Amino acid sequence: MAVAGAAGARHSPPIVLQEHAMLTQVFQHTPKWVYILFATLLWLGAKQLLAGSVSLVRVTLLPIAMTGLAVAGIATAFGDAPLALLVWCGAALVSLGLVMQRGVAATTRYDAAARRFQVAGSAVPLLLMMGIFFTKYTVAVLLAMHPELARQPGFALGISALYGLFTGVFTGRAMRLWKLAIGTVRAASVARGAAA
């Protein structure tokens, strides 16, 4: 028996080699724009590791872009699936509510004249961007290898909830900054009115 097993093992490639070949195929068939998107998100996220200044426009556009990427991931993977979108929406609202309960860092400031925020460095945006990117990439690879997963409710709803979590955190972080900006502008307006 042992001799037969050993002979069979010599004829079939080891699992490690099979997995390596499969990963090589996945990377070779990945479109070039995916690598460009990855590098762009990595660069944007890495920039936010350091304290710095960020515009009101960027604070607004980044969550919109990431929400678009999440919704596109759901639509691409699961097509017209109202339940998947409902789960995404529910998860987004829950995580948004949790993020909104926390305030911004004490060092965060808003300059109304320049329409810019002074923010502390944070790894959270990088983690969120990579989370969305790798979720979308992994789902695309899994569905290419196992298309039947798209019809499994547990898979679709789990992935949709994960996308919703990312969306809610991204949106909540932006809304907290908007809340700071509105509060800063109001306080300045009240101060001007009191001085007049």
Side-chain angles (χ1 to χ4, degrees), residues 37-86:
L37 177 62
F38 172 73
T40 303
L41 292 174
L42 188 62
W43 174 72
L44 284 171
K47 280 179 59 175
Q48 295 186 50
L49 291 170
L50 305 172
S53 175
V54 60
S55 72
L56 187 61
V57 170
R58 188 163 137 211
V59 163
T60 304
L61 291 181
L62 194 55
I64 292 171
M66 292 296 102
T67 298
L69 198 57
V71 172
I74 294 169
T76 302
F78 310 117
D80 183 22
L83 188 56
L85 287 174
L86 189 62

Side-chain angles (χ1 to χ4, degrees), residues 29 98 191:
H29 289 93
L98 292 172

Side-chain angles (χ1 to χ4, degrees), residues 26 30 34 69-79 84 130-152 154-164 166:
V26 166
T30 299
V34 173
L69 198 57
V71 172
I74 294 169
T76 302
F78 310 117
M130 293 297 100
I132 291 173
F133 176 85
F134 283 115
T135 299
K136 188 167 179 3
Y137 186 78
T138 303
V139 168
V141 170
L142 285 172
L143 290 178
M145 295 168 60
H146 307 285
E148 69 278 5
L149 285 174
R151 294 181 298 279
Q152 293 184 6
F155 181 76
L157 299 182
I159 295 299
S160 298
L162 186 57
Y163 276 134
F166 292 137

